[in-house]
Amino acid sequence: MDEKKQALLGMTPAELRQVVVQMGMPSFTGGQIASWLYQKPVGTIGEMTNISKANREKLSQLYEVGLMPPTDCQRSTDGTIKYLFPTSNGKTVETVYIPDGDRATLCVSSQVGCKMGCLFCQTGRQGFEGNLTAGDILNQIYALPERDSLTNVVFMGQGEPMDNLDNVLRATEILTASYGMAWSPKRITVSSVGVKSKLRRFLDESDCHVAISLHSPIPEQRAMLMPAERAMPITDVVALLRTYDFSHQRRLSFEYIVFGGLNDTTAHAKEILRLLRGLECRVNLIRFHQIPDSDLREASEERMEQLRDYLTQHGIFTTIRASRGQDIYAACGLLSTAKRIAAERGQSL
């Protein structure tokens, strides 16, 4: 993307109208641009054929669409595809396309790296490299070769979505607005470790599904796995969630990576029940995928199934999430552009 030009992707119709009016064009031109950006996506301003040639040329002097195709992709034996997308600040993020029968889910990133430092996550080890703009987030969707086959988007890639809430909300607004993709918000799930003040705002301003990273119901153990527990206790997060209604279309889920010999006991299952009792929610059990220099290990299939069955029998609908793309480091917890960043800097990891 030309650094001298500003991207139009990520702007709302109101902002686009402001842009064109300031350039001496009719305000309705902003709506035309929004249509070209979000409903019949084009790669260049020159393709916006219902705008006069003179206005297109004027617009092109200062702006560009902002679509940036992926610079790399890796294909898994199970059909999962991991894409590397450039960002507007010259960095890169990973995005994972997961086809599954008549469903196709895209796992998008909201930040380059992450501040949360979870013990089991490669993105956390990368550290924080910057927030994505709304255009960067949308680019992962609009520049995706399989865009037209998508049925769902999950904000479960690199970064903590609540730590970049303004841009996440703007992206989900455009995806669900009548001028955008016009998706139902029920096709979008946004995850969080539980940034309480931001989570409240997200719940108030969005109808998208929400997924909370739990990973242990025991505060001391969760703090060991997830340093964010110290500032954002899971008990406080659950107390906040109890003030919202999840009994209708909006879904609340808790993500639980199962570590062998650590958080996979019946005692943990009982603590999960105690923590979540009476809350309309589901639990997704996730296999741990080994990362370098970590003592954490994967739980057995038997323990995964015992946890699932115990929780389900006691009233919490629980599933074991299928692991996808592990052979290309696209599975949960494995996304990182740290190696690429280090290579660009002439360093080694």
Side-chain angles (χ1 to χ4, degrees):
M1 191 165 67
D2 191 333
E3 293 182 4
K4 296 179 181 179
K5 295 183 180 181
Q6 187 175 350
L8 296 171
L9 190 70
M11 292 187 183
T12 64
E15 290 168 331
L16 291 167
R17 283 193 289 271
Q18 188 175 15
V19 164
V20 299
V21 168
Q22 287 176 345
M23 299 184 75
M25 304 177 197
S27 63
F28 67 79
T29 306
Q32 292 174 316
I33 294 172
S35 178
W36 286 111
L37 290 176
Y38 303 125
Q39 294 180 344
K40 41 191 174 184
V42 294
T44 67
I45 291 171
E47 297 172 79
M48 301 178 181
T49 52
N50 61 350
I51 300 172
S52 73
K53 185 177 180 181
N55 281 342
R56 277 181 277 159
E57 289 176 351
K58 187 187 298 185
L59 197 60
S60 296
Q61 291 174 8
L62 298 176
Y63 294 91
E64 60 187 343
V65 168
L67 274 184
M68 298 177 287
T71 57
D72 191 21
C73 78
Q74 294 175 272
R75 298 177 184 271
S76 168
T77 54
D78 64 22
T80 300
I81 307 173
K82 182 171 71 172
Y83 287 103
L84 186 74
F85 279 101
T87 66
S88 55
N89 63 356
K91 299 184 184 297
T92 54
V93 290
E94 293 184 327
T95 307
V96 182
Y97 173 75
I98 310 166
D100 184 17
D102 59 356
R103 288 172 58 90
T105 301
L106 190 68
C107 181
V108 302
S109 294
S110 56
Q111 295 180 312
V112 182
C114 184
K115 296 177 183 176
M116 298 301 152
C118 296
L119 193 64
F120 46 83
C121 181
Q122 284 284 73
T123 308
R125 287 189 177 187
Q126 178 176 337
F128 179 65
E129 297 274 344
N131 283 328
L132 299 190
T133 66
D136 289 330
I137 295 171
L138 291 169
N139 184 67
Q140 297 169 72
I141 299 163
Y142 279 94
L144 185 80
E146 298 83 4
R147 181 190 66 226
D148 294 338
S149 69
L150 286 180
T151 60
N152 299 85
V153 167
V154 295
F155 283 74
M156 297 181 182
Q158 292 174 264
E160 163 56 54
M162 300 300 153
D163 203 29
N164 187 20
L165 185 55
D166 286 342
N167 288 314
V168 168
L169 283 173
R170 177 181 289 252
T172 56
E173 175 197 332
I174 289 170
L175 289 173
T176 56
S178 58
Y179 66 80
M181 274 192 165
W183 272 25
S184 163
K186 311 307 180 291
R187 295 170 67 176
I188 302 170
T189 301
V190 179
S191 70
S192 177
V193 301
V195 184
K196 188 178 172 184
S197 60
K198 303 289 184 67
L199 180 59
R200 181 188 298 277
R201 184 179 157 209
F202 172 77
L203 291 167
D204 289 340
E205 296 183 23
S206 170
D207 291 322
C208 297
H209 295 319
V210 63
I212 301 298
S213 299
L214 177 57
H215 309 317
S216 177
I218 301 169
E220 297 79 13
Q221 189 178 67
R222 188 171 186 262
M224 181 271 291
L225 293 167
M226 306 170 62
E229 163 68 20
R230 298 185 185 97
M232 296 163 269
I234 190 61
T235 51
D236 289 357
V237 174
V238 171
L240 169 64
L241 293 167
R242 289 187 185 279
T243 65
Y244 290 84
D245 183 4
F246 296 99
S247 62
H248 298 293
Q249 288 186 309
R250 174 186 259 183
R251 186 171 67 237
L252 168 64
S253 58
F254 289 86
E255 310 293 293
Y256 194 91
I257 297 177
V258 188
F259 305 102
L262 184 67
N263 66 348
D264 60 348
T265 69
T266 302
H268 284 86
K270 290 179 178 178
E271 284 299 308
I272 292 172
L273 290 172
R274 189 183 63 80
L275 178 68
L276 304 183
R277 183 172 286 114
L279 189 59
E280 189 72 30
C281 65
R282 64 175 62 190
V283 171
N284 295 322
L285 302 179
I286 303 170
R287 291 172 179 82
F288 172 61
H289 303 104
Q290 196 68 44
I291 61 176
D293 304 317
S294 172
D295 294 330
L296 298 170
R297 58 187 177 85
E298 185 178 349
S300 68
E301 189 67 24
E302 180 183 12
R303 289 303 302 150
M304 298 275 289
E305 292 174 356
Q306 287 172 351
L307 272 177
R308 177 197 62 195
D309 295 345
Y310 188 93
L311 291 171
T312 298
Q313 288 164 9
H314 288 81
I316 297 181
F317 178 67
T318 304
T319 63
I320 298 174
R321 183 186 293 168
S323 182
R324 299 290 300 273
Q326 189 171 357
D327 57 327
I328 57 170
Y329 295 91
C332 181
L334 299 183
L335 298 187
S336 174
T337 47
K339 283 188 177 180
R340 190 174 300 269
I341 291 167
E344 289 167 355
R345 293 173 179 169
Q347 301 169 343
S348 60
L349 290 180

